[in-house]
């Protein structure tokens, strides 16, 4: 038995891999596992469950801790995702509910909270504006009280999503013209809410980037790592995410800012990867311009604490004046630096100083 096979055997019998039934060329998956990567993680003292994606992270980003929000997407004990890969193609049972669309026209029921140049108010305004987690940068200081709702936006009534290993994800069609094939392989009804959400995500990924913007939709953690390290030109990165307990309730309450630590100035390259609505973990990543990023610690009225990633847009004069953020914060374009906290699941990538 070769070195890779020993690692595979040891990981399986130590509960290290998700309960994925993989019949695929072993070298495609096992190539991501290296003794050096595993040793690096042990040196960092991390308690992790080993998967190909986890090993790839430590191989490519040996000095970068993985945010808890990403670790939660690499479950070693998931019983809801089953993958069978063979000569007949990949078959993935993600346990999605077979609900029909009916008269519902949009899958994204909570509305969208988007800060950007072209977004207007009416089509983007959610029912609960606290979901947007907006505030002015001048208020991003200790002692500020702000109503927030920390909510991981996902497909309605879906199970927890997880990253698929790249060797598996790459076998699943990811394009609008092959959506019917993907639905069949994922065992999802074409007239379901899930199918509609997938269609909208694919449209978002395939829409042209704004002038001067770079965008990409990775379908695996490995692909996201390759994209960000390539664009940032380094494997010494800082990765920011909003982290809170999986048992935390998604309720609106008043939070008090207890600490702020800036991680970048407005001239630093930052890539923002938004968690998208899909049966497994898929992201839409794009670069941010004219922003400052920070870690923000807040404490809720119920005593719960959250470490959040904040993005502050310093140049808003060219934004659509009907953008809902101006209405929520009662400011005009260019008048103030506008911040928003990243929702659970989103990730910010920047080079480490």
């Amino acid at each position: 038995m070769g070195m890779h096979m020993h690692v595979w055997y040891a990981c399986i019998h130590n509960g290290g891999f998700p309960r994925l039934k993989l019949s695929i060329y072993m070298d495609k998956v096992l190539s991501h596992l290296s003794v050096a990567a595993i040793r690096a993680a042990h040196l960092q003292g991390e308690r992790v469950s080993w998967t190909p994606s986890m090993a790839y992270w430590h191989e490519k980003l040996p000095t970068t801790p993985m945010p808890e929000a990403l670790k939660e997407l690499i479950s070693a004990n998931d019983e809801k995702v089953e993958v069978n890969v063979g000569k007949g193609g990949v078959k993935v049972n993600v346990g999605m509910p077979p609900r029909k669309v009916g008269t519902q026209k949009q899958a994204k029921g909570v509305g969208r909270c988007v800060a950007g140049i072209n977004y207007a108010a009416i089509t983007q305004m959610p029912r609960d504006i606290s979901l947007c987690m907006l505030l002015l940068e001048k208020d991003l200081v200790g002692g500020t009280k702000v109503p927030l709702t920390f909510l991981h936006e996902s497909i309605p009534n879906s199970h927890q999503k997880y990253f698929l290993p790249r060797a598996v994800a790459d076998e699943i069609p990811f394009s609008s013209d092959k959506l019917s094939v993907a639905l069949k392989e994922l065992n999802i009804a074409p007239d379901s809410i899930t199918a509609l959400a997938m269609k909208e995500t694919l449209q978002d990924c395939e829409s042209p980037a704004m002038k001067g913007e770079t965008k990409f939709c990775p379908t695996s953690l490995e692909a996201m790592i390759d994209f960000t390290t390539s664009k940032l030109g380094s494997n010494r990165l800082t990765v920011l995410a909003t982290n809170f307990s999986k048992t935390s309730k998604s309720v609106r309450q008043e939070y008090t800012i207890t600490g702020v630590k800036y991680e970048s100035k407005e001239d630093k390259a930052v890539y923002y990867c938004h968690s998208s609505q899909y049966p497994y973990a898929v992201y839409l990543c794009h670069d941010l311009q004219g922003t400052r990023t920070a870690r923000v610690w807040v404490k809720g009225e119920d005593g719960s604490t959250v470490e959040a990633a904040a993005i502050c847009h310093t140049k808003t004069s060219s934004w659509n004046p009907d953008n809902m953020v101006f209405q929520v914060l009662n400011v005009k374009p260019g008048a103030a630096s506008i911040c928003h906290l990243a929702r659970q699941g989103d990730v910010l990538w920047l080079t480490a100083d």
Side-chain angles (χ1 to χ4, degrees), residues 289-348:
Q289 300 176 2
T291 59
R292 284 189 281 265
T293 61
R295 300 180 194 267
V296 181
W297 290 267
V298 298
K299 185 175 183 179
E301 293 175 290
D302 62 358
S304 62
T305 59
V306 180
E307 178 188 330
I311 308 94
C312 297
H313 299 266
T314 62
K315 300 176 181 178
T316 63
S317 57
S318 61
W319 287 16
N320 188 326
D322 292 328
N323 193 313
M324 62 98 183
V325 300
F326 299 126
Q327 297 184 20
V328 173
L329 297 174
N330 193 29
V331 295
K332 295 181 179 180
S337 179
I338 294 174
C339 303
H340 62 96
L341 304 186
R343 76 169 189 259
Q344 174 80 347
D346 290 358
V347 191
L348 290 167

Side-chain angles (χ1 to χ4, degrees), residues 173-289:
F174 190 77
S175 63
S176 295
D177 61 348
K178 294 184 179 179
L179 176 58
S180 60
V181 179
L183 292 174
K184 184 176 181 180
E185 293 187 345
L186 295 168
N187 193 29
I188 294 171
D191 57 352
S192 65
I193 296 293
T194 301
L196 179 57
M198 292 172 65
K199 178 181 178 180
E200 292 180 353
T201 291
L202 289 170
Q203 290 173 342
D204 287 344
C205 289
E206 294 167 351
S207 64
M210 293 188 295
K211 185 178 180 180
E213 179 190 45
T214 300
K215 61 180 286 191
F216 174 65
C217 283
T219 59
S220 66
L221 180 58
E222 295 94 321
M224 184 158 56
I225 292 170
D226 287 349
F227 173 73
T228 50
T229 54
S230 172
K231 293 300 180 182
L232 292 170
S234 174
N235 68 345
R236 294 188 65 255
L237 304 182
T238 295
V239 183
L240 305 179
T242 294
N243 298 308
F244 64 94
S245 171
K246 295 175 70 173
T247 60
S248 297
K249 296 181 180 180
S250 297
V251 296
R252 181 178 181 177
Q253 61 177 305
E254 187 174 77
Y255 285 84
T256 301
I257 296 177
T258 59
V260 178
K261 179 185 176 183
Y262 277 91
E263 294 289 348
S264 69
K265 299 179 180 180
E266 60 185 282
D267 58 346
K268 188 165 188 174
V270 177
Y271 278 83
Y272 192 163
C273 292
H274 302 262
S275 177
S276 298
Q277 297 193 95
Y278 222 71
Y280 51 93
V282 168
Y283 280 77
L284 192 159
C285 300
H286 64 97
D287 56 323
L288 295 176
Q289 300 176 2

Side-chain angles (χ1 to χ4, degrees), residues 105-128:
K105 296 182 180 180
Q106 246 193 344
K108 301 176 182 179
V110 297
R112 302 178 66 188
C113 301
V114 181
I117 296 173
N118 297 320
Y119 296 105
I122 298 176
T123 58
Q124 301 298 328
M125 183 67 77
R127 290 192 296 269
D128 181 358

Side-chain angles (χ1 to χ4, degrees), residues 13 20-21 53 59 89 127 131-132 139 146-147 153 165 180 190 213 216 221 226-227 233 268 321 331:
H13 286 269
L20 302 179
K21 300 174 182 177
S53 301
E59 180 181 347
R127 290 192 296 269
L131 294 175
C132 300
D139 296 324
V146 58
E153 185 180 339
S180 60
E213 179 190 45
F216 174 65
L221 180 58
D226 287 349
F227 173 73
K268 188 165 188 174
V331 295

